[in-house]
Amino acid sequence: RFRGRTVDSAPPLDPARVGGYVALDAVCTHQQCTVGWDPGAREVACPCHGSRFATDGTAVVGPATLPLPTFAVTADGTGATVTIPAPP
């Protein structure tokens, strides 16, 4: 989880998504475990309690009910940049 800075990339980045990339917070909204990308299911999976999230961050399998936060992504020929704002 990165806060208040711009990073070159933060998984998962899904180049197949219509309109470009998506960047999601890597912390599950259920009990703050670190989630990971499941390429076979094309979902984000939480190893702690089995929550699963769509590529837009929407919770599709509980126990998590809240979506993963998303972050702004810009991309060009040299790569993608994820901008994560500082907390208020």
Side-chain angles (χ1 to χ4, degrees):
R1 186 181 242 188
F2 298 95
R3 292 285 183 223
R5 55 191 167 132
T6 300
V7 294
D8 290 332
S9 65
L13 293 177
D14 184 1
R17 183 175 166 84
V18 175
Y21 292 92
V22 61
L24 306 173
D25 197 319
V27 178
C28 182
T29 56
H30 174 237
Q31 289 190 342
Q32 292 68 52
C33 294
T34 301
V35 298
W37 177 244
D38 179 345
R42 297 193 52 77
E43 292 179 331
V44 177
C46 180
C48 295
H49 301 103
S51 294
R52 299 186 77 79
F53 301 86
T55 58
D56 66 356
T58 304
V60 294
V61 174
T65 57
L66 298 173
L68 295 173
T70 59
F71 302 107
V73 180
T74 56
D76 60 25
T78 63
T81 300
V82 178
T83 302
I84 301 168

